[in-house]
Amino acid sequence: MAKQQQQTISPVKNFIAGGLGGVCLVSVGHPLDTVKVRLQTQPKPLPGRSPLYAGTFDCFRKTLAREGMRGLYKGMAAPVDGVTPMFAVCFFGFGLGKKLQQKSPEDALTYPQLFAAGMLSGVFTTSIMAPGERIKCLLQIQAAAGGQPKYAGPMDCVKQLYRQNGIRGLYKGTALTLMRDVPASGMYFMTYERLKNALTPEGKSPSELSVPSVLFAGGMAGICNWAVATPPDVLKSRFQTAPEGRYPNGFRDVLRELIREEGVRSLYKGFSAVMLRAFPANAACFLGFELGMKEVTNPYRLPLNINESLSVSSAPSFTGSVYARGNVFEESFSTQQRYEEKQKRFLKTTDRRRQEEERETEDSMEERLLAEERECMRKEYEEEQEKKRQKEKEKYSVPPPPSPVLACRSKLKSTDILPSQPSLLHHGWTVLWRSKGEDGKKG
């Protein structure tokens, strides 16, 4: 299983960073791409005559002598205009392919799964790549053919192709482009991820690779990509630059003609130019991609939400920068060191704030628990005191004297006729009055 950094995969970030990587690839690799296309499409020499180009370096030398540096960059406008969305879609498709195969963000993908994700990216890019490849190849070979150029530029080429055959004229060779890009893209991304994991030191993340390691992994990924893509690329270049009606059965006619006239080795025409171009171009591509990913995951930009601000530690720390002085690329590690120091300070501050918040939360919880415990103890104490007071009250309290009426009633038998209370009072007063009268007579 692939050793990968466990972080959320964002196809949108891959889209943005992939566009930057595509611009870097075209800027570095287009001169050798021009040499490759001219070698692949050169006509078969007549008997007794030497071919137009003896090899990669001969083609490069003749193009430079006849047309100057501008000749090596012929047709670059078309891929530059299309390469940003094309590589953006390519890396977006790779990110989407990885995300679709993950049941959870923590799942690490195997290398076959990475290969499948890369194949999906090849399907995504064909819709943009096919017309761009068609225009690029036509513009690259017209200068080598000599005579008056047929197309004044990329837009003129688009207008003429659309006028002649409609939209089908622009998308000629789409099936061959698909045959080239689907397996090659799978090999491309799988190789890059494999080398990144192999070059990662123990205990570190693949996103922390140095600039030379990223350049090496990207360059080797490009070589593996073109080792798979070269045969269908030769068929595609032949088919897209051929006059209308020459190959009625499509790539099958192209394949039969090449093998019959030039043998199987003709499928690897321009292989040297391809390999010379593949390493620096794709090294620059992945370097641009990693730099783009560093920018879109920069923890110092305004976070989108609180969750993102708390997860800045997952941002990749790849920070190497490369700049050109003449023909020499120099690595600026001072920027990397400053960035790493700022990142460490930021992470320390974030961790300290998080720890303070956790301590405050724990303290408030302890205070709340203590307050609840004190309240329970107070209630228990009050209940005990209340029970004591009740017991003392029952022990020392004197019952009230009984009322005279109730006493009299208690002395009467149940068979006695008890007069009503008013009669009883009247009888009592009568007895008292009589007794006083008798005393008066005696006196």
Side-chain angles (χ1 to χ4, degrees), residues 337-352:
Q337 292 173 357
R338 287 196 299 271
Y339 176 84
E340 289 177 350
E341 290 174 359
K342 289 181 180 179
Q343 188 181 33
K344 288 178 181 178
R345 287 197 298 271
F346 180 83
L347 293 176
K348 286 181 180 178
T349 304
T350 306
D351 291 339
R352 186 169 60 252

Side-chain angles (χ1 to χ4, degrees), residues 9-25:
I9 298 170
S10 173
V12 176
K13 292 178 180 180
N14 282 22
F15 180 88
I16 298 171
L20 179 60
V23 172
C24 295
L25 181 142

Side-chain angles (χ1 to χ4, degrees), residues 77-99:
V80 163
D81 291 340
V83 77
T84 301
M86 188 270 292
F87 267 86
V89 169
C90 178
F91 281 90
F92 171 83
F94 179 59
L96 182 62
K98 291 195 294 184
K99 198 173 185 68

Side-chain angles (χ1 to χ4, degrees), residues 179-200:
M179 289 172 59
R180 180 194 70 176
D181 289 345
V182 169
S185 296
M187 181 64 69
Y188 188 53
F189 287 106
M190 185 188 72
T191 304
Y192 179 68
E193 295 291 337
R194 177 70 184 86
L195 289 173
K196 275 182 67 178
N197 294 330
L199 294 171
T200 302

Side-chain angles (χ1 to χ4, degrees), residues 19 48 74 196 221 277 300 309 325 425:
K74 282 284 179 70
K196 275 182 67 178
R277 170 187 175 273
Y300 300 108
S309 66
R325 290 182 179 176
L425 292 174

